[in-house]
Amino acid sequence: MKRIAILGISGSIGVQALEVIEANPSEFMLYGATVHRRVEMLEAIHKKHALTAVCLPKEHHQSFIEEEISLFDDLVKFVASLPEDVTLLNALVGSVGLASTIQAIEMGLDVLLANKESLVVGGEIIAEKLTQSSSKLIPIDSEHSALSQCLRGRSIDDVEKVVITASGGSFRDYSREQLATVTREEALKHPNWSMGEKITIDSATMMNKVFEVIEAHYLFGLPYEKIEAVCHRESVVHAIVYFKDGNIVAHIGPSDMRIPILSAMQGEKCLPYRSIFDITKAQPLHFEPIDSTRFPLFDLGVAVAKRKGLHTVTMNAANEIAVELFLAEKIRYLDIEHIIETCLDYFDHTNDLTLDKILAHDQAVRSYVKKLYLDGETHDSH
Ligand SMILES: NC(=O)c1ccc[n+]([C@@H]2O[C@H](COP(=O)([O-])OP(=O)(O)OC[C@H]3O[C@@H](n4cnc5c(N)ncnc54)[C@H](OP(=O)(O)O)[C@@H]3O)[C@@H](O)[C@H]2O)c1
């Protein structure tokens, strides 16, 4: 029986991870979970699963005070309390997930990672920590899960290049003129996947694909030159591996995150799951280069990723706060690009990163953007 703790159980990935656990009661058990705002979901889950530990804001602790349960209001302390046989599933959204990922790796826990921002902002630190830890870092993101399947039994040294696919997001057929006036509701209508709000906007801007290129770099130890992304509007092929011997292996399947979640949870097993997929209905399939005129953030983001260091943190924090402001209808859609470019120009770059520096810089970028866009003020120094 694998015991699993889920960070962010109330989100899109968290809920589907719970479904996978509940569909396999003889294989998996929910040990603990965390929420941020959706406290009532955690109460309901605890009633059903009798959790051992939970983490939620302190003002909501009274809901659990009568229970025999370990209560936390700090994600890292929650992770630090986990026994060594518990597997951590990180389904948080944003850089708030980084410290928990690092804590789990330092403890030698296996980490099933949906929180791609952990690798975006802390990839160098995580890669280094993994060399000194018995932890396994297993991807949940569909493209990286697909790459893992394609790479099974093969050596990474045999790989010529990998290709991950992008659906193109909500605005894949929009012109720049049309993008200038799109609304929050339009941006949240993803053509193929039902996901959390932030990743849905990131898919529309192509920032999500930048993040996935970074994830592939750190998860598989591949140089950026060997990682490509293409637009594939049907989201049937999730990833392709070109091997040096001429073989090309692709992973296909429906847009169903429960498959990569189950794949990450099951390890070497092959647990039953009925995937509804008819190849005869999946055609025709299109593959096109990413249009960098309509989606300039892709080239910009990959260039930033290749430099590594603090600019990657700047880009991520600027994106997080910009998406938040767009979702709150405080800025227009194309302001997201503008905010990221402005922050990259404004903040200095260094390659010397620690967790504390990352967290402090993340806050500095958010404050800068809030001042610029909410107060209409500009800064002179940084
Ligand atoms: N959704 C997908 O299909 C999908 C696919 C591939 C990869 N991913 C990646 O998986 C991660 C999660 O995505 P999602 O779509 O599941 O996001 P989501 O639906 O927005 O859920 C995010 C979770 O994080 C919690 N959370 C947010 N801010 C927090 C904070 N400051 N402190 C503690 N908890 C916080 C939320 O709690 P409350 O809801 O209680 O506020 C929620 O449980 C992201 O990194 C995303 O890129 C998602």
Side-chain angles (χ1 to χ4, degrees):
M1 174 78 73
K2 195 178 264 186
R3 301 201 291 172
I4 297 176
I6 302 182
L7 306 181
I9 200 162
S10 46
S12 162
I13 292 290
V15 166
Q16 293 177 84
L18 182 58
E19 277 175 45
V20 172
I21 290 176
E22 289 179 345
N24 296 278
S26 58
E27 297 288 336
F28 307 124
M29 184 198 143
L30 185 63
Y31 174 88
T34 82
V35 296
H36 187 49
R37 285 165 306 158
R38 288 176 269 189
V39 176
E40 63 303 332
M41 282 181 76
L42 191 61
E43 288 168 20
I45 291 166
H46 175 55
K47 279 207 176 78
K48 202 162 166 192
H49 290 270
L51 303 177
T52 307
V54 291
C55 177
L56 70 169
K58 197 152 206 131
E59 63 266 28
H60 299 295
H61 280 195
Q62 71 276 5
S63 319
F64 292 89
I65 219 88
E66 309 269 288
E67 309 284 329
E68 257 186 54
I69 196 166
S70 299
L71 275 170
F72 296 89
D73 65 352
D74 179 293
L75 288 164
V76 173
K77 287 188 183 142
F78 169 83
V79 175
S81 78
L82 299 174
E84 60 184 15
D85 67 308
V86 170
T87 297
L88 183 74
L89 193 158
N90 188 342
L92 298 170
V93 65
S95 57
V96 70
L98 171 65
S100 304
T101 301
I102 291 178
Q103 174 67 34
I105 293 170
E106 283 177 348
M107 293 161 65
L109 304 184
D110 287 342
V111 180
L112 316 182
L113 191 71
N115 178 248
K116 61 186 81 182
E117 295 88 351
S118 278
L119 284 171
V120 172
V121 296
E124 290 295 301
I125 299 178
I126 290 173
E128 224 241 288
K129 297 263 175 207
L130 280 169
T131 63
Q132 303 147 16
S133 166
S134 57
S135 291
K136 286 199 247 46
L137 186 65
I138 300 158
I140 284 187
D141 219 350
S142 57
E143 295 77 1
H144 307 80
S145 175
L147 283 175
S148 303
Q149 296 293 329
C150 296
L151 286 164
R152 276 190 144 189
R154 302 291 301 249
S155 162
I156 200 73
D157 296 336
D158 296 339
V159 172
E160 186 67 43
K161 68 171 182 180
V162 301
V163 177
I164 55 175
T165 59
S167 67
S170 314
F171 302 132
R172 60 193 180 194
D173 297 317
Y174 280 49
S175 66
R176 289 292 288 178
E177 291 68 36
Q178 286 173 304
L179 289 176
T181 56
V182 292
T183 65
R184 176 187 194 280
E185 277 60 42
E186 289 166 335
L188 287 175
K189 275 190 209 129
H190 194 284
N192 305 356
W193 297 89
S194 162
M195 309 184 283
E197 291 189 340
K198 192 224 171 216
I199 185 177
T200 305
I201 305 299
D202 287 349
S203 299
T205 61
M206 286 289 165
M207 195 40 103
N208 184 48
K209 221 36 63 177
V210 174
F211 292 167
E212 291 179 359
V213 167
I214 299 174
E215 263 188 293
H217 170 73
Y218 288 112
L219 284 167
F220 301 104
L222 283 167
Y224 281 109
E225 292 64 37
K226 290 190 172 193
I227 307 166
E228 286 179 13
V230 298
C231 257
H232 165 50
R233 58 180 53 236
E234 292 81 14
S235 296
V236 166
V237 176
H238 302 299
I240 308 165
V241 179
Y242 289 67
F243 289 98
K244 288 178 181 164
D245 60 9
N247 281 295
I248 301 169
V249 180
H251 179 279
I252 65 169
S255 304
D256 180 351
M257 283 308 295
R258 283 163 297 198
I259 297 171
I261 292 169
L262 177 64
S263 303
M265 278 189 199
Q266 71 184 357
E268 293 307 309
K269 292 190 175 176
C270 183
L271 299 175
Y273 180 73
R274 214 166 71 82
S275 111
I276 299 159
F277 182 73
D278 180 350
I279 190 72
T280 63
K281 299 210 172 93
Q283 298 165 37
L285 300 180
H286 301 84
F287 299 90
E288 305 150 57
I290 292 175
D291 180 345
S292 51
T293 316
R294 287 188 301 124
F295 303 106
L297 280 184
F298 181 72
D299 284 355
L300 174 72
V302 172
V304 168
K306 285 179 179 168
R307 288 183 71 197
K308 304 190 171 174
L310 201 63
H311 258 176
T312 327
V313 183
T314 305
M315 172 172 76
N316 180 72
N319 181 61
E320 283 190 29
I321 185 71
V323 170
E324 199 179 304
L325 293 174
F326 174 69
L327 287 170
E329 300 185 304
K330 304 263 190 222
I331 60 169
R332 287 163 304 165
Y333 179 76
L334 287 180
D335 288 334
I336 298 174
E337 280 174 19
H338 181 65
I339 287 174
I340 294 168
E341 286 161 5
T342 304
C343 288
L344 287 170
D345 282 345
Y346 180 77
F347 286 98
D348 290 336
H349 180 70
T350 154
N351 272 314
D352 173 29
L353 289 189
T354 61
L355 175 59
D356 287 345
K357 274 193 197 165
I358 291 173
L359 299 181
H361 189 66
D362 181 270
Q363 286 309 317
V365 175
R366 286 165 197 264
S367 305
Y368 174 69
V369 173
K370 277 190 191 156
K371 270 216 171 295
L372 272 185
Y373 279 82
L374 298 183
D375 304 351
E377 290 174 23
T378 52
H379 286 203
D380 295 328
S381 59
H382 51 103

